[in-house]
Amino acid sequence: MTKNSNKMPIAVLISGNGSNLQALIDAQPTANYEIKLVISNRPSVKGIERAQNAGISTLVLDHKAYDSREAFDLAMIEALDSKHIKAVILAGFMRILTPEFTSHFLGRMLNIHPSLLPKYPGLDTHQKALDAGDKEHGLSIHFVTAELDGGPVILQAKVSVDANDNVESLKQKIHALEHQAYPLVADWLASSKVELKDNQVWFNNHLLKSPIDFDQALVNKS
Ligand code: GRF
């Protein structure tokens, strides 16, 4: 039996840089998950290099090579199931998933989104927060359902929007928090601390009435 055999085998899906993947890799030694596979729908991205440097199996499935969204998602399901992947972490994966895919991994798949959901699903969230004159912005980590960026939210982390902030500064502030928050929540999923039941989030066997605040999660951790 290997040292890691009781860790949950997970996969990370990416489309680009993979800085969140890197954070998940870096946290792995003390986490309850083991990244067994990284899939990218785009070839030659930095995230694939990061996985290879960490000795993790990689797979490029170029969505353009498939006739339909369904065929592409089916190929991903086959790849993930053949590796006995128990949970899927979306980390900058820029593809809309089919209901077949989301139902296959329901309760076993997380996404990280750079806004305080339900505000600003989709793209350009930083610009939208600036345009709206928001004083607060942030990130959400949620279970993935068939609704784009619409699954039940587990945790949110907030940043203030200051007078001199722009898209780039907000992106940087949020990225820094993402790298701390995502490994934490992935670890909760891998240790069954967080669960999805009847489309609601349960944390430590208690129904979560509102998303966990990241600052509070850190206080409780220490
Ligand atoms: C992150 O900002 C995440 O919130 C969004 O995509 C971005 C991925 O960044 N879903 P990276 O590839 O992990 O650097």
Side-chain angles (χ1 to χ4, degrees):
M1 201 186 270
T2 67
K3 195 166 125 254
N4 290 331
S5 59
N6 54 355
K7 293 193 177 203
M8 180 184 276
I10 69 166
V12 182
L13 272 48
I14 60 164
S15 299
N17 180 31
S19 67
N20 280 286
L21 164 66
Q22 188 66 57
L24 290 159
I25 292 171
D26 294 345
Q28 190 166 238
T30 55
N32 289 293
Y33 60 78
E34 185 180 1
I35 306 170
K36 290 279 192 191
L37 180 64
V38 170
I39 299 182
S40 173
N41 67 313
R42 292 199 186 121
S44 317
V45 293
K46 174 82 180 161
I48 286 289
E49 196 185 311
R50 294 178 193 271
Q52 285 168 346
N53 288 342
I56 298 168
S57 298
T58 60
L59 179 63
V60 174
L61 288 178
D62 188 344
H63 62 272
K64 294 197 219 85
Y66 293 84
D67 289 343
S68 65
R69 210 174 271 285
E70 286 72 22
F72 173 69
D73 280 10
L74 196 61
M76 284 206 297
I77 290 176
E78 281 170 10
L80 293 161
D81 284 353
S82 72
K83 287 246 178 198
H84 308 289
I85 297 299
K86 293 284 177 278
V88 172
I89 308 296
L90 305 180
F93 185 66
M94 304 303 283
R95 292 286 300 165
I96 292 174
L97 296 164
T98 59
E100 287 74 19
F101 194 90
T102 55
S103 65
H104 190 77
F105 288 103
L106 189 65
R108 305 193 285 141
M109 179 157 55
L110 301 179
N111 183 39
I112 189 162
H113 181 76
S115 80
L116 297 173
L117 292 169
K119 271 189 167 182
Y120 318 135
L123 300 173
D124 302 324
T125 59
H126 310 309
Q127 189 61 57
K128 286 173 185 162
L130 289 168
D131 291 348
D134 290 354
K135 295 280 169 273
E136 220 173 34
H137 185 38
L139 67 95
S140 304
I141 298 171
H142 63 94
F143 279 110
V144 178
T145 62
E147 192 190 341
L148 179 68
D149 300 326
V153 177
I154 301 164
L155 175 142
Q156 293 187 318
K158 293 175 185 145
V159 300
S160 64
V161 182
D162 305 323
N164 55 352
D165 267 321
N166 53 36
V167 166
E168 196 47 43
S169 66
L170 288 178
K171 197 172 162 185
Q172 279 178 23
K173 281 189 200 177
I174 289 177
H175 251 128
L177 278 179
E178 287 185 342
H179 300 158
Q180 298 174 55
Y182 216 7
L184 179 68
V185 180
D187 193 48
W188 290 346
L189 182 70
S191 57
S192 302
K193 209 172 175 149
V194 68
E195 293 172 292
L196 183 72
K197 292 181 204 165
D198 298 329
N199 211 39
Q200 292 179 307
V201 179
W202 289 69
F203 186 73
N204 277 341
N205 295 317
H206 293 287
L207 178 64
L208 208 62
K209 302 240 166 59
S210 55
I212 294 167
D213 184 82
F214 181 55
D215 286 340
Q216 204 52 48
L218 285 187
V219 171
N220 293 339
K221 206 180 166 202
S222 60

